[in-house]
Amino acid sequence: MAILDVSGLKVHFPIKGGIFNRTIGHIKAVDDVSFSIEQGKTYGLVGESGSGKSTTGRAIVGLENITAGKILFEGEDITSRESKTKDMRKDIQMIFQDPYSSLNPRKRVRDIIAEPLRNYEKLTKNEEKQRVYELLELVGLNPESIWKFPHQFSGGQRQRIGVARAIALKPKLIIADEPVSALDVSVQAQVLNFMQDIQKELDLTYLFISHDLGVVEHMCDEIAIMYRGRYVEQGTREDIFENPQHIYTKRLIAAIPDINPRNRDAQYAFRQEVKREYENSFDDYFDAEGLAYNLQNISATHRVALPERG
Amino acid sequence: MSRKLLEIENLTTSFQIGDEYYAAVDDVSLTVNRNEVLGIVGESGSGKSALAFSIMRLHNRAKIEGKIKLEGIDLAKASTSDLNKLRGDKLSMIFQDPLTALNPLMEIGAQINETLILHRPKMSKQERYDRVIELLDLVGITGPEYVYQQYPHELSGGMRQRVIIAIAIANKPQLLIADEPTTALDVTIQAQILDLIRELRDEMDAGIILITHDLGVVAEMADRVAVMYAGQIVEIADVHTLFENPLHPYTRSLLNSVPTEGQDRLHVIQGIVPGLQHLPRTGCRFAARIPWIDESVHEENPLLHEVTPGHFVRCTCHSYFYFPEKGKEEITHGDT
């Protein structure tokens, strides 16, 4: 059974205006998104800024109000605010994008990591310290770090403190919102390797949100591409990278810089070709408002937003 | 005519911390030719932005030693008034962060106009307006007349970055320094901006210094690449040589930490880039991050060696370097 099952999720933000500040319209940040994630897998959510990928993640943790739709976590409905019980919040944790601003600069590492423990578990001072030591060891940080402040660490180390905090309560699902976007490649490698290690160790499930297709290809089992709040394509890693069907997906893949300089001209030509195709066939793939159509199944795992046939 | 545009000789930029000066850029020499993109790569803290700011002379209280010759003019010794004439005209820079580089209280058109007023005082108002519209059009902004009177907050990140590029190229600079020009942008917009920079190089016969930590961007854009670590250039070569036959352990480690197809495990460089005050000033600066390599293979005072024409590598340790997870048999790769 899927650990997380999202169906018809909508998050709409009102636009206020006029003299009485009435609602004059809605921004459909997330519009009818459905997916499910199996236990122990990594599900990638890709899109450009403003596509609604972060809002989707935040809605699942409960940081955004949901307009419509249903979220099932381990079979339990957690859609409404009231139903997000303390226990459920313990099982879903989040890793934030920016390791420089997501840690309180005035707290010591010990207090940062112990905060979730203090909220949920009644531990003695010593037990708590012991747990923090264990967590630090798990994320590969020095035991002395416990007394340091966030500014005394490098970006990669800070991100690992964020990870330690996220796994403190042994969650089942981690929502990682652009966890490596702010990091150098070498540090990025460190964090990605580490996320894979703890996934195996703790049987974690990830919802991995990123705009970097290279990283997503490396990390994810299943991938969904979002555009303006809607899914344009969803499938396994192979479906998306080897057999992309939607022109928007093709365009994203074509835009990834090629690490081999010999392919430069070919890549440039390919990109121009995809761009032309994108411009010429835009109407075939998007409706009158420029939004993606509903998803159609093209294989057991692969779904693409195409106009209905016939 | 010589194709050399910029010649940097033994440039050292130091900052004062406490009573002492620490070099953030340490004895860097390089040249940029016309119609060439020179890529500079390295992790944050490696000194690549400090180098760019030194060329632009934007550091406030730094000690600059060495020569920065732009077509015969030594920028390192130029006075502030000379610099003001050069910056934005012959020499200009695209800054990293499009969200903070623009004045939030000024219309887009007026911000581009500013650089024209300063460097082209003879242009009439109408000529300037036409030029701004032309520039906005050139950087691919649709509806330039409309955008002219918009404010930065009304534009998306990609649009703002294009405005910054429009300002940088307004006076057709000879040398354009692009400091992480696409880092804050989405991939599709990144591709457009990179195409634009490439067109500018060809059209204006300009030299471009492209600073980035994204090796994919370098592979697509650069003609030559310099790799910086801890304030020094550790390897410099044309782009094909660098990607096909990288020699310095740092270059090879960086290339190995990028996710590519069929790679299960990414390479992690041990340790961190040392801070300015903690840089090892003697010996191979990268030695501390490859502790499994025998200390005796490093030079006492590592120099750049020309291994093949145009391909320079610092320190002899590259001939003995191997990745610990792969074992020693790989050594032959580095022998030249």
PDB file of all heavy atoms in Angstrom, chain A residues 29 65 70 78 178 235 258:
ATOM      1  N   ALA A  29      -2.475  27.808  -7.449  1.00  0.00           N
ATOM      2  CA  ALA A  29      -1.083  27.407  -7.242  1.00  0.00           C
ATOM      3  C   ALA A  29      -0.915  25.915  -7.479  1.00  0.00           C
ATOM      4  O   ALA A  29       0.052  25.472  -8.093  1.00  0.00           O
ATOM      5  CB  ALA A  29      -0.642  27.780  -5.831  1.00  0.00           C
ATOM      6  N   ASN A  65      -3.201  25.957   3.510  1.00  0.00           N
ATOM      7  CA  ASN A  65      -4.581  25.488   3.574  1.00  0.00           C
ATOM      8  C   ASN A  65      -4.961  24.842   2.252  1.00  0.00           C
ATOM      9  O   ASN A  65      -4.640  25.364   1.190  1.00  0.00           O
ATOM     10  CB  ASN A  65      -5.516  26.650   3.854  1.00  0.00           C
ATOM     11  CG  ASN A  65      -5.440  27.068   5.308  1.00  0.00           C
ATOM     12  OD1 ASN A  65      -5.276  26.212   6.191  1.00  0.00           O
ATOM     13  ND2 ASN A  65      -5.518  28.356   5.544  1.00  0.00           N
ATOM     14  N   LYS A  70      -7.839  15.374  -1.330  1.00  0.00           N
ATOM     15  CA  LYS A  70      -7.733  14.463  -0.207  1.00  0.00           C
ATOM     16  C   LYS A  70      -6.291  13.980  -0.078  1.00  0.00           C
ATOM     17  O   LYS A  70      -5.654  13.663  -1.079  1.00  0.00           O
ATOM     18  CB  LYS A  70      -8.646  13.263  -0.487  1.00  0.00           C
ATOM     19  CG  LYS A  70      -9.204  12.632   0.750  1.00  0.00           C
ATOM     20  CD  LYS A  70     -10.241  11.603   0.345  1.00  0.00           C
ATOM     21  CE  LYS A  70     -10.980  11.084   1.563  1.00  0.00           C
ATOM     22  NZ  LYS A  70     -11.885  10.011   1.212  1.00  0.00           N
ATOM     23  N   ILE A  78      -5.675  12.850   6.258  1.00  0.00           N
ATOM     24  CA  ILE A  78      -5.030  13.935   7.010  1.00  0.00           C
ATOM     25  C   ILE A  78      -5.248  15.277   6.310  1.00  0.00           C
ATOM     26  O   ILE A  78      -4.458  16.193   6.420  1.00  0.00           O
ATOM     27  CB  ILE A  78      -3.518  13.683   7.177  1.00  0.00           C
ATOM     28  CG1 ILE A  78      -2.843  13.519   5.803  1.00  0.00           C
ATOM     29  CG2 ILE A  78      -3.255  12.475   8.041  1.00  0.00           C
ATOM     30  CD1 ILE A  78      -1.367  13.782   5.831  1.00  0.00           C
ATOM     31  N   GLU A 178      13.987  21.281  -2.403  1.00  0.00           N
ATOM     32  CA  GLU A 178      15.253  21.787  -2.954  1.00  0.00           C
ATOM     33  C   GLU A 178      16.389  21.658  -1.937  1.00  0.00           C
ATOM     34  O   GLU A 178      17.051  22.643  -1.614  1.00  0.00           O
ATOM     35  CB  GLU A 178      15.107  23.269  -3.349  1.00  0.00           C
ATOM     36  CG  GLU A 178      13.941  23.566  -4.263  1.00  0.00           C
ATOM     37  CD  GLU A 178      14.360  23.685  -5.717  1.00  0.00           C
ATOM     38  OE1 GLU A 178      15.500  23.291  -6.038  1.00  0.00           O
ATOM     39  OE2 GLU A 178      13.544  24.148  -6.525  1.00  0.00           O
ATOM     40  N   GLY A 235       5.812   9.625 -14.485  1.00  0.00           N
ATOM     41  CA  GLY A 235       6.225   8.278 -14.838  1.00  0.00           C
ATOM     42  C   GLY A 235       7.463   7.866 -14.071  1.00  0.00           C
ATOM     43  O   GLY A 235       7.954   8.602 -13.218  1.00  0.00           O
ATOM     44  N   ASP A 258      24.965  19.947 -21.064  1.00  0.00           N
ATOM     45  CA  ASP A 258      25.669  18.684 -21.259  1.00  0.00           C
ATOM     46  C   ASP A 258      27.092  18.833 -20.747  1.00  0.00           C
ATOM     47  O   ASP A 258      27.781  19.784 -21.067  1.00  0.00           O
ATOM     48  CB  ASP A 258      25.677  18.334 -22.750  1.00  0.00           C
ATOM     49  CG  ASP A 258      26.042  16.884 -22.978  1.00  0.00           C
ATOM     50  OD1 ASP A 258      26.973  16.395 -22.298  1.00  0.00           O
ATOM     51  OD2 ASP A 258      25.400  16.242 -23.819  1.00  0.00           O
TER      52      ASP A 258
END
